[in-house]
């Protein structure tokens, strides 16, 4: 009874005062929200005591489960020292130690760490470093950025310019800069009926043409390696990543890997760039960097880029950028403990069976369903695309809210997931057990059947 009252009270406050991100609040305020209060391993617990499997890692950031002992302890220990101190004019021990740990695991050539608080900022920082780098080098025409269609890089204005979406961002259009976009070799969307090999060839020749046209003006290629997340889980072969990075570099551009979603094991390697042996000039990290505990992000840079910013005070070559909470010690201490868990528990090495379990279930259980149009996977990142009539490529009407109805059906089965349109996303914590993963897959499959075969 007390619990019920508490829920009703929280719901009323939420309806009256809270504005949720990426949410049509008119719809939201009509509904009964799930109010989460606790976490336990790979489960979320709501204020009424119900348990839900966390099928999308609390928006792609949880790594080792909730209430992970080592992370809790690192947080408490750091709180016993200091919660925050600025990095402007001072160093702090936790952020310094984290920088060394990050460089140790990062692709070769990255040697400098610039902190910020969110993935969008990590990308914002990378694009501003790239832009200023070329100005400082005297290559003043290099101001154009090159990205993949459908890419998402976060919600600050610079990042939105990179990942512009007509549907979401048209009201901001006058405030944004233009970028060059190329279509990735996503067979289902852009190259239907073609083999993967033919799509790869077409996509690379388009990229080559666009890069050639922009040559002399390209500042950087910005790419989500291996899996474009928010686009709807669009995977591309490692060879594409390898080749497009080479084309960009041959044209004199930098390569920026946005590993905010793919970093920290999500694709089966520590960083997705590793699948293609890519050593980017700049790399953006966020989401999983603290194991999903606290907001922290980082932009890693090569020494060559870093050195271009060196000079005397009166030359004004410094990178004039920063946020108040940059390099927050609580977040940095938890991030250090997160990397330590990766090492101690050999997290990446132990992922293979879980990834294979997903592959098997997707091929055998999902792909044959009549309204599953396409299934995409890179490691622990999965997208299941639903359509009314897959053979005729006829999508559901937006008003039907098919993806939303599926995740609501899953919730009734004790699983929290979140769709991207009619793409059902699965991205469980790397710590998910064999039987928990079975539960997630089974509940998702039954929910898809319930909604699409009714
Ligand atoms: C989530 C995401 C971002 C933005 O990160 P925030 O922490 O939400 O600002 C940037 N790039 C990619 C690839 C992402 O998935």
């Amino acid at each position: 009874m007390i619990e019920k009252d508490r829920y009703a009270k929280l719901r009323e406050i939420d309806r009256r005062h809270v504005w949720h991100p990426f949410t049509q609040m008119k719809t939201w305020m009509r509904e009964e929200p799930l109010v989460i209060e606790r976490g336990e391993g790979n489960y979320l617990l709501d204020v009424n005591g119900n348990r839900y499997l966390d099928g999308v890692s609390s928006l792609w950031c949880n790594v080792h489960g909730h209430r992970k002992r080592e992370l809790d302890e690192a947080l408490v220990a750091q709180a016993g020292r200091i919660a925050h101190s600025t990095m402007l004019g001072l160093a702090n021990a936790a952020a310094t130690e984290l920088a060394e740990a990050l460089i140790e695991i990062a692709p070769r050539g990255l040697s400098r760490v610039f902190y910020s608080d969110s993935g969008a900022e990590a990308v914002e920082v990378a694009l501003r470093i790239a832009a200023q780098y070329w100005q400082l080098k005297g290559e003043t025409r290099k101001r154009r950025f090159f990205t993949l269609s459908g890419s998402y890089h976060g919600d600050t204005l610079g990042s939105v310019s990179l990942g512009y979406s007509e549907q979401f961002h048209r009201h901001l259009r006058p405030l944004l800069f233009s970028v060059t976009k190329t279509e990735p070799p996503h067979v289902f969307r852009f190259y239907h009926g073609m083999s993967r090999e033919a799509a790869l060839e077409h996509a690379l020749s388009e990229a080559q043409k666009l890069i050639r046209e922009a040559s002399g003006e390209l500042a950087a290629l910005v790419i989500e390696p291996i899996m474009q997340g928010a686009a709807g889980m669009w995977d591309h072969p490692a060879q594409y990543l390898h080749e497009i990075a080479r084309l960009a570099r041959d044209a004199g551009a930098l390569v920026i890997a946005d590993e905010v979603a793919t970093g920290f094991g999500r694709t089966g390697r520590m960083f997705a760039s590793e699948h293609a042996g890519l050593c980017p000039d700049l790399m953006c990290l966020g989401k999983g960097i603290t194991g999903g505990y606290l907001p922290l992000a980082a932009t890693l840079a090569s020494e060559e880029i870093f050195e271009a910013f060196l000079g005397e005070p009166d030359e004004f070559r410094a990178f004039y950028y920063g946020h108040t909470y940059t390099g927050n010690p609580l977040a940095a201490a938890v991030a250090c403990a997160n990397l330590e868990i990766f090492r101690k528990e050999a997290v990446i090495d132990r992922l293979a069976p879980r990834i294979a379990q997903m592959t098997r279930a997707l091929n055998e259980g999902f792909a044959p369903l009549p309204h599953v149009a396409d299934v995409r996977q890179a490691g622990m990142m999965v997208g299941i695309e639903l359509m009314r009539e897959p053979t005729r490529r006829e999508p559901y009407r937006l008003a039907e809210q098919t993806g939303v109805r599926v995740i609501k059906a899953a919730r009734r089965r004790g699983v929290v997931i979140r769709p991207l349109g009619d793409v059902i996303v699965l991205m469980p914590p790397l710590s998910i057990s064999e039987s928990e993963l079975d539960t997630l897959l089974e509940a998702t499959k039954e929910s898809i059947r319930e909604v699409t075969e009714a």
Side-chain angles (χ1 to χ4, degrees), residues 6-273:
R6 178 130 188 279
Y7 174 78
K9 188 165 173 228
L10 289 168
R11 183 190 55 197
E12 283 322 297
I13 297 170
D14 188 280
R15 282 183 183 164
R16 204 169 330 124
H17 295 301
V18 182
W19 194 341
H20 287 262
F22 274 100
T23 302
Q24 177 42 260
M25 291 301 291
K26 185 176 173 184
T27 316
W28 175 269
M29 289 187 295
R30 283 201 296 258
E31 296 182 345
E32 299 294 302
L34 197 54
V35 183
I36 301 300
E37 187 170 50
R38 291 166 185 278
E40 252 177 45
N42 303 311
Y43 285 86
L44 301 166
L45 278 72
D46 73 6
V47 288
N48 296 319
N50 301 308
R51 288 162 64 85
Y52 300 89
L53 195 51
D54 189 354
V56 286
S57 301
S58 293
L59 211 56
W60 313 0
C61 60
N62 190 279
V63 180
H64 312 293
H66 301 279
R67 302 296 320 278
K68 179 78 176 169
R69 187 175 52 81
E70 291 88 339
L71 299 184
D72 289 4
E73 285 172 4
L75 181 57
V76 170
Q78 182 59 44
R81 294 190 284 269
I82 189 169
H84 186 66
S85 137
T86 181
M87 280 188 72
L88 278 71
L90 297 171
N92 83 63
T96 303
E97 280 162 9
L98 175 60
E100 184 182 42
L102 285 172
I103 293 306
E104 207 167 281
I105 59 168
R108 209 164 8 88
L110 296 168
S111 58
R112 295 282 164 176
V113 179
F114 191 98
Y115 291 113
S116 55
D117 311 331
S118 68
E121 290 165 289
V123 174
E124 188 80 28
V125 165
L127 83 88
R128 292 201 201 183
I129 287 178
Q132 184 170 338
Y133 172 75
W134 291 121
Q135 296 299 308
L136 292 172
K137 296 288 269 189
E139 302 219 34
T140 52
R141 285 176 63 232
K142 288 190 179 175
R143 285 184 309 225
R144 180 157 280 276
F145 288 87
F146 190 62
T147 65
L148 303 189
S149 305
S151 66
Y152 174 77
H153 298 290
D155 286 316
T156 59
L157 276 187
S159 307
V160 161
S161 292
L162 296 176
Y164 181 78
S165 138
E166 187 63 26
Q167 213 174 25
F168 294 155
H169 302 131
R170 63 199 153 90
H171 306 294
L172 299 174
R173 188 155 206 158
L175 306 180
L176 304 173
F177 59 83
S178 84
V179 303
T180 301
K181 283 182 188 238
T182 190
E183 287 175 357
H186 178 2
V187 174
F188 181 76
R189 182 139 288 91
F190 299 117
Y191 297 100
H192 203 62
M194 254 185 219
S195 68
R196 278 177 81 91
E197 293 71 27
L200 174 63
E201 201 174 304
H202 272 79
L204 279 171
S205 81
E206 185 193 80
Q208 183 165 30
K209 184 170 145 280
L210 290 168
I211 287 172
R212 198 175 289 142
E213 281 166 14
S215 172
E217 294 180 2
L218 274 194
L221 162 72
V222 185
I223 188 166
E224 292 168 78
I226 301 298
M227 187 60 117
Q228 290 179 249
M233 298 292 144
W234 296 0
D235 61 317
H236 55 245
Q239 198 190 340
Y240 180 71
L241 177 60
H242 185 267
E243 292 297 314
I244 198 172
R246 191 181 55 77
L247 290 169
R249 283 199 167 128
D250 286 352
L254 300 174
V255 174
I256 300 175
D258 177 355
E259 294 247 16
V260 171
T262 52
F264 302 99
R266 212 60 82 171
T267 67
R269 304 288 283 268
M270 184 58 92
F271 300 109
S273 296

Side-chain angles (χ1 to χ4, degrees), residues 306-327:
F306 174 77
E307 279 174 359
F309 289 72
L310 302 179
E312 299 308 317
D314 60 0
E315 291 180 79
F316 295 98
R317 297 176 75 90
F319 186 49
Y320 294 101
Y321 185 100
H323 293 283
T324 305
Y325 281 98
T326 291

